[in-house]
């Protein structure tokens, strides 16, 4: 495959109070075998060599697990390849001469820290509000001591695939975090281990989501379409049901 000459239009913002702007960079001879983040590494090396501040972007595992590589590529969170995180997106999906626009997540509860990095601690606070199970310490329970049917286990596992990246918020015109919260609520409420705190969990997590300033879900489905883990909007229906059930019971 031929090497790529690209024009990168990247959002540069010095800090939360800077208004920010797009800056264009030409990058030549990009290998199609590189990942998108490796391409940005090469750009940053060139910028450093010419005395320009490198582009700041989040990344960690680079294998689709940690959810850190948050950026909007050509208007779509994590780029145009469905079910793929930015770190797993490869340059072979682009063409020679392409102009690629790269921006941070745009949502009020995710303020920009610098360039492409946003502050997603609002997600951490939602998890702290109830996205856990309290356990007694002691020796580990025997494996399979609590039988769980295959259907339920798979449903819980699908919800647990959420990596907390925030693409669902970035994709939503309301900046709703419903898909993220629904995945986290469902993952625990489906399993017997999550039952003791079931009602408080959903009330607290939904309450925290609202107080962080995320918008309401209006069922556009943009979140599911852009989620790199293809979490289903069906979990939002489950969360709403859990929420009403908890309010009736409490
Ligand atoms: S639901 Fe999908 S898009 Fe939203 S945080 Fe989880 S993995 Fe990311
Ligand atoms: S860097 Fe971890 S999911 Fe992309």
């Amino acid at each position: 495959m031929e090497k790529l000459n690209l024009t990168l239009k990247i959002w540069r913002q010095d800090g939360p109070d800077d208004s920010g702007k797009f800056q264009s960079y030409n990058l030549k001879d990009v290998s199609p075998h590189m990942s998108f983040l490796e391409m940005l590494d090469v750009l940053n090396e060139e910028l450093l060599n010419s005395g320009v501040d490198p582009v700041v972007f989040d990344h960690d595992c680079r294998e689709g697990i940690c959810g850190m590589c948050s950026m909007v590529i050509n208007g779509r969170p994590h780029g145009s390849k469905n079910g793929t995180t930015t770190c797993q997106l490869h340059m072979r999906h682009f063409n020679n001469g392409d102009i690629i626009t790269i921006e941070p997540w745009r949502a009020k509860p995710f303020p920009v820290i610098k360039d492409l990095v946003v502050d997603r601690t609002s997600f951490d606070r939602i998890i702290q509000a109830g996205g856990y199970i309290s356990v007694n310490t002691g020796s580990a329970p025997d494996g399979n001591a609590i039988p769980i049917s295959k259907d339920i286990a798979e449903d819980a596992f699908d919800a647990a695939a959420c990596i907390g990246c925030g693409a669902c918020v970035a994709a939503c015109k309301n900046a709703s975090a419903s898909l993220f919260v629904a995945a986290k609520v469902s993952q625990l409420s489906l399993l017997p281990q999550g039952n003791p705190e079931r009602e408080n969990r959903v009330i607290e997590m939904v309450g925290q989501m609202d107080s962080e300033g995320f918008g309401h879900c209006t069922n556009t489905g943009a979140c599911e379409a852009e989620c790199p883990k293809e979490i289903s909007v069906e979990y939002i229906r489950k969360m709403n049901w859990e929420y009403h059930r908890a309010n009736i019971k409490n």
Side-chain angles (χ1 to χ4, degrees), residues 123 161-169 179-180 183 223 226-231:
F123 267 17
C162 167
I163 54 174
C165 64
C168 45
V169 175
L179 194 62
F180 164 74
C223 51
E226 300 297 352
C227 171
K229 297 297 160 184
E230 301 181 313
I231 306 284

Side-chain angles (χ1 to χ4, degrees), residues 22-179:
F22 281 106
Q23 189 79 45
S24 286
Y25 304 96
N26 293 319
L27 194 60
K28 290 194 183 348
D29 296 328
V30 173
S31 163
H33 304 298
M34 279 180 191
S35 73
F36 199 84
L37 297 187
E38 284 167 341
M39 181 276 292
L40 288 178
D41 290 339
V42 171
L43 171 75
N44 275 346
E45 261 183 52
E46 287 192 9
L47 293 180
L48 278 167
N49 288 340
S50 53
V52 177
D53 266 359
V55 177
V56 180
F57 61 94
D58 253 342
H59 60 101
D60 191 0
C61 70
R62 296 199 176 203
E63 49 187 22
I65 297 168
C66 73
M68 295 298 285
C69 52
S70 49
M71 59 186 82
V72 176
I73 302 163
N74 289 339
R76 294 188 60 184
H78 294 292
S80 62
K81 204 160 179 303
N82 289 348
T84 305
T85 53
T86 298
C87 58
Q88 296 196 300
L89 180 66
H90 281 80
M91 296 315 296
R92 60 178 171 271
H93 299 295
F94 295 86
N95 298 313
N96 190 27
D98 272 359
I99 300 170
I100 305 175
T101 306
I102 310 168
E103 304 167 71
W105 287 171
R106 307 266 188 202
K108 233 189 200 159
F110 290 160
V112 172
I113 296 172
K114 193 171 164 67
D115 295 338
L116 304 174
V117 175
V118 299
D119 179 353
R120 284 176 297 174
T121 50
S122 48
F123 267 17
D124 297 338
R125 289 187 290 274
I126 292 172
I127 296 294
Q128 284 159 8
Y132 52 81
I133 53 170
S134 303
V135 292
N136 295 324
T137 52
S139 56
D142 285 344
N144 298 323
I146 306 172
I148 296 164
S149 75
K150 189 168 186 304
D151 287 355
I152 302 272
E154 283 187 354
D155 209 3
F157 190 80
D158 285 350
C162 167
I163 54 174
C165 64
C168 45
V169 175
C172 177
K173 65 175 182 168
N174 309 318
S176 170
S178 290
L179 194 62

Side-chain angles (χ1 to χ4, degrees), residues 188-224:
L188 299 172
S189 68
L190 281 162
L191 298 174
Q193 293 90 335
N195 252 317
E197 289 149 313
R198 186 170 168 183
E199 288 83 23
N200 278 356
R201 173 182 307 113
V202 67
I203 288 173
E204 295 297 327
M205 289 180 80
V206 169
Q208 190 65 36
M209 166 174 70
D210 289 344
S211 67
E212 294 289 347
F214 292 101
H216 291 292
C217 173
T218 52
N219 300 310
T220 66
C223 51
E224 180 186 289

